[in-house]
Amino acid sequence: MEKQTIPKLLRASALKFGSKVALREKDFGIWQDITWEQYYNSTKYFGLGLSALGLREKDKVSILSENNPEWLYADIGTQAVGGIVVGIYPTNVETQVEYILSHSQSRFVVVGDQEQTDKVLEVKDKLPDLKRIIIIDMKGLRKYDNTLIISFEEVSNLGRQEDKEDPVLFDKLVDRTDSEDTALMVYTSGTTGKPKGAMISHRNAISSARNFLESTPLREDDVIVSYLPLCHIAERSFSVLYPLMTGGITVNFAESLNTVQDNIREIAPTVFFAVPRIWEKMHSGHIMRMRDATRFKRLIDNWCFKKEKSLYERNRSGKSAGLYCKLMKFLTYVLHAYPLQRHFGLNKAQTVYTGGAPTPPEVVIFFHSLGIKIRNLYGSTECTGICSVHQGNDIRVDTVGELSPGVELKIADDGELIFKTEGVFQGYYRDPEATAEAVKDGWYYSGDVGALTEEGHLKITDRKKDIIITSGGKNISPQEIENEFKSSPYVRDAVVIGDGRKYLAALILIEYDNVGKWAEDQRISYTTFKDLSQKPEVYEMVSRITEDVNKRFARVETIKKFTVLDKELDQDDDELTATQKVRRTIIEEKYKDTIAKMYKSG
Amino acid sequence: MQRLNIIREEKDGYLENSSNPEPQLTVEKLTLGFGGIEALKEVGFEVNQGEIFSIIGPNGAGKTCIFNCLSGLYTPQKGSIFFEGVFLLPLSPNKRASLGLARTFQNIELFKNMSVLDNILLGRHQFLKSGVFSGGIFLGRVLKEEIANRLKAEEIIDFLEIESIRKKIVGELSYGLQKRVELGRALAMEPRLLLLDEPTAGMNLEETEDIVRFVLDVNEEFGTTIVLIEHDLRVIMDISTRIICIDFGVKIAGGFPEEIQSHPKVIEAYLGEKI
């Protein structure tokens, strides 16, 4: 196991599972199967094609594409011939693409389609290292007259020829890969500063995946839908690493970004991972739909959910269920829980995770009541994924579960969590200072503050640098308060402010669609987001939400003032990271005047 | 991969055609009148294989009349139209369609209560050979035919990126999407010449950019000749190979975009005053 690498794992899987379905892609309206053997061969041809084009060992290959099988071929193919893979978010704009391509010194970039190609062509003059742009979908690009451009198919054909001339070449190359080699680089979106390229070795990736699979085993016949960006370590783990480690998991690729929800419903995955934003959206989507439904349906929904929730809480407190409870459970399941599970496409989901950021407790309880048992994951790119997760049936809303086997934890005096695992990364690319700050003696300083509960669960308070210390000297975690705001369907994001100030204030971003619908129901006319967000009625509504949130916290933790932002936060303006997390420092800087106003009239 | 091959083969086929020096469409002295009004007066132009050819002009200049004459909805009093050497005027609209002439309309003319997929499949009508009885049994050749047509429809859905609305009823869709579906139905006929009547009318900037990109892609991927009526002059100047300008039923100018842009008569027609 120790000398194992990702390409070696793929080769082994191809030998073992051969004609079993590994990947599925919806194309022309039909799900097309790709077997393990085809998976391996396509990877082989692409890898050989790359080396025919002059890829040298340790060269970087960036991938800028939506999720598709070619992403995986390019990923493992590159690693097999000694290259290092860098994933780029398809939502990144030109300048961000340029930064990652130039910082990583990428010699090749694999792009999905015309839109992505245009981004690279726009900045190609500033990228002296870039040798070739490899395009997966050539639609609309045939007339592009550029010597840099080559199609994915052509590269694979080159590789096919190489393979014909020397059938054992690829095997030799795969044998040469070493577990200590850097396999991939993940540019962490980071809520502060420029993204940093975390270097992850084969050993990091594989041992971290093994730790995870020991804590929550997946089955061979599990089905996954790959829809979150593959450049993020979480989706990479679920779509690439775990299937390779368990062998036989089928990974499904959605037809297009707009059809993800439908595709999930069609596939009904047995394993499902989503970030909080998606759970929040499903939850608020349900609330909004019920608001438009007939009185009868609303009645059923209310009654069933109340029952389900009380049953769930009863179960949590460990009371045994009597005949009445079982009957109620069955009734609500038939009437309410099962149809909703079907609606979300999660009726077969056995193992469900949330992670990446904290999920509002109200949302988690909603899904638990419906019988969708969301487990919290906690991890980081620098630990190559998961550090802790809810294991077995021990799921608690307020923790992120027990540490995975193979993960050691120390808690610093200031509460910072420090981890040691085989997954701790090799360092940031071309940034020894940041590396030295993050890793000391093999221990990774996570920057998160938290504690272990009596039951051995890890509980995260907040990011260390985000903790607010008011002028009264009280330590407050903004995250908890922000999450209470976000459980309202009308609030998309909240930023709590108050570091070094007398009291707390908040910037509130409303959820455009839902507040828009609400406004229509209230017969409030509006034109744009800006107009809607500044309506006095909306202000009043947000102040009601604020009062509600304030009830749940101690007096020092209450929000005294708030402002409704008149513009949606945007990744293009650097206000959000690629994973849709709020960049606090940038927002505080940008809305300096607004914030000052909230404290002036105090 | 397979799709790329199909497209490539098709494109090669067209390229051979394009070595043909004859214009694909020839319109000569087209004259059309309704009662006392002369909608078109001796309008003539030629369109070459693979071009994006645009017709511009103020409201009521007679642009759509030209399209209606080409597709067979109107019969001109005088003049002739040749498409790939065939004299079109005596032919019925469906005959013309089966020759490879497809069009979209200024005001969307889709079947509002049918799904997107069905609308596109309808464009395949001319390729269906089976009759009522064999269709009722739905075996063998009919089944094969159905699968082949569905594949083609799916290719178009993929091409126009409308997978997510495949099963939606057309009437529920936004205007921009309906326009895209209409383009899809026209493409389903596998036309060699596509008549687009104001494809960007009533669209916002983003929808306009989308549809222009698709028009360019159609032209490039399938080698389809495109004749375009359009009001958005920026779009026209950007994508057209050649342009003619019509005013009060008379062709007042013709040529490359740069020539048209600086043509005094065009400026006059658009600004409405003498210069």
Side-chain angles (χ1 to χ4, degrees), chain A residues 398-568:
Chain A
D398 56 341
T399 72
V400 292
E402 294 162 86
L403 294 177
S404 289
V407 178
E408 289 175 69
L409 170 74
K410 277 200 299 198
I411 300 179
D413 294 340
D414 58 356
E416 184 173 4
L417 303 170
I418 313 167
F419 294 96
K420 188 174 201 172
T421 85
E422 289 266 305
V424 171
F425 73 135
Q426 297 179 311
Y428 295 111
Y429 186 58
R430 291 170 62 195
D431 198 346
E433 281 159 40
T435 310
E437 224 168 85
V439 186
K440 290 167 197 153
D441 292 331
W443 288 84
Y444 168 64
Y445 287 69
S446 66
D448 286 324
V449 174
L452 277 176
T453 65
E454 279 170 27
E455 298 88 4
H457 279 231
L458 187 60
K459 198 170 170 178
I460 309 287
T461 318
D462 209 328
R463 297 288 298 161
K464 193 164 117 190
K465 59 175 187 308
D466 287 351
I467 294 218
I468 293 173
I469 303 168
T470 58
S471 54
K474 176 84 183 148
N475 280 27
I476 292 164
S477 150
Q479 198 167 276
E480 270 176 61
I481 305 170
E482 286 162 11
N483 260 327
E484 289 297 337
F485 271 105
K486 281 196 259 180
S487 59
S488 157
Y490 300 122
V491 177
R492 170 151 187 187
D493 259 315
V495 181
V496 173
I497 299 151
D499 202 22
R501 314 226 192 211
K502 290 198 296 281
Y503 51 84
L504 297 185
L507 298 172
I508 307 287
L509 179 71
I510 54 170
E511 180 81 60
Y512 190 25
D513 292 349
N514 293 348
V515 176
K517 222 179 221 170
W518 173 83
E520 276 165 29
D521 291 345
Q522 308 283 315
R523 304 190 172 278
I524 302 165
S525 61
Y526 66 94
T527 49
T528 55
F529 182 84
K530 193 172 171 149
D531 181 33
L532 176 66
S533 64
Q534 299 309 309
K535 291 269 173 203
E537 292 92 340
V538 171
Y539 186 87
E540 224 165 83
M541 185 190 68
V542 175
S543 76
R544 276 200 300 275
I545 296 173
T546 312
E547 273 167 34
D548 226 33
V549 170
N550 281 345
K551 276 182 207 154
R552 293 173 226 173
F553 290 98
R555 225 175 56 84
V556 281
E557 292 175 322
T558 51
I559 304 291
K560 302 279 188 306
K561 292 257 165 88
F562 68 86
T563 304
V564 181
L565 294 181
D566 62 359
K567 173 191 155 305
E568 293 208 71

Side-chain angles (χ1 to χ4, degrees), chain A residues 224-479:
Chain A
I224 288 177
V225 176
S226 171
Y227 70 103
L228 292 169
L230 270 168
C231 42
H232 192 276
I233 193 71
E235 187 63 63
R236 190 78 149 273
S237 300
F238 277 99
S239 298
V240 184
L241 292 171
Y242 302 158
L244 281 177
M245 300 287 294
T246 21
I249 293 180
T250 314
V251 182
N252 296 276
F253 290 93
E255 192 167 16
S256 77
L257 223 51
N258 303 325
T259 60
V260 167
Q261 183 86 63
D262 292 333
N263 292 152
I264 290 175
R265 212 167 293 155
E266 282 167 26
I267 291 291
T270 59
V271 177
F272 187 70
F273 170 76
V275 291
R277 175 92 191 111
I278 290 173
W279 296 115
E280 282 164 28
K281 253 188 152 164
M282 285 179 170
H283 174 238
S284 68
H286 172 70
I287 292 178
M288 293 317 283
R289 235 185 355 267
M290 276 304 123
R291 227 154 262 191
D292 287 345
T294 57
R295 258 182 94 125
F296 179 67
K297 280 185 188 164
R298 265 205 308 260
L299 218 67
I300 297 264
D301 179 61
N302 269 332
W303 185 80
C304 284
F305 183 63
K306 231 194 247 154
K307 285 279 164 213
E308 281 160 354
K309 199 169 161 188
S310 71
L311 285 171
Y312 160 73
E313 269 154 14
R314 203 189 155 85
N315 192 19
R316 270 249 42 97
S317 60
K319 280 187 206 147
S320 61
L323 186 65
Y324 172 75
C325 285
K326 278 181 184 156
L327 199 75
M328 274 301 144
K329 190 159 190 180
F330 177 75
L331 189 67
T332 53
Y333 181 76
V334 173
L335 276 176
H336 188 251
Y338 183 70
L340 271 177
Q341 286 181 7
R342 292 262 324 224
H343 174 78
F344 295 130
L346 296 175
N347 50 315
K348 288 192 188 154
Q350 305 269 342
T351 346
V352 186
Y353 305 97
T354 178
T359 320
E362 196 178 313
V363 176
V364 178
I365 291 171
F366 171 76
F367 284 101
H368 272 279
S369 303
L370 292 180
I372 299 168
K373 297 201 179 70
I374 304 182
R375 290 161 199 274
N376 252 328
L377 287 177
Y378 169 78
S380 61
T381 306
E382 287 82 353
C383 289
T384 324
I386 280 77
C387 293
S388 78
V389 60
H390 285 129
Q391 301 168 26
N393 282 323
D394 193 11
I395 304 173
R396 278 151 217 270
V397 172
D398 56 341
T399 72
V400 292
E402 294 162 86
L403 294 177
S404 289
V407 178
E408 289 175 69
L409 170 74
K410 277 200 299 198
I411 300 179
D413 294 340
D414 58 356
E416 184 173 4
L417 303 170
I418 313 167
F419 294 96
K420 188 174 201 172
T421 85
E422 289 266 305
V424 171
F425 73 135
Q426 297 179 311
Y428 295 111
Y429 186 58
R430 291 170 62 195
D431 198 346
E433 281 159 40
T435 310
E437 224 168 85
V439 186
K440 290 167 197 153
D441 292 331
W443 288 84
Y444 168 64
Y445 287 69
S446 66
D448 286 324
V449 174
L452 277 176
T453 65
E454 279 170 27
E455 298 88 4
H457 279 231
L458 187 60
K459 198 170 170 178
I460 309 287
T461 318
D462 209 328
R463 297 288 298 161
K464 193 164 117 190
K465 59 175 187 308
D466 287 351
I467 294 218
I468 293 173
I469 303 168
T470 58
S471 54
K474 176 84 183 148
N475 280 27
I476 292 164
S477 150
Q479 198 167 276

Side-chain angles (χ1 to χ4, degrees), chain B residues 40-52:
Chain B
L40 292 174
K41 271 175 270 181
E42 303 211 328
V43 175
F45 57 89
E46 286 173 349
V47 181
N48 296 324
Q49 164 71 44
E51 260 187 325
I52 296 182

Side-chain angles (χ1 to χ4, degrees), chain A residues 28 139-140 142-143 255, chain B residues 3 154 159 166 217 220:
Chain A
F28 303 132
K139 194 181 99 184
R142 285 177 211 292
K143 273 197 188 149
E255 192 167 16
Chain B
R3 183 173 55 98
E154 286 292 343
F159 185 85
R166 185 189 282 133
D217 283 351
E220 192 190 317

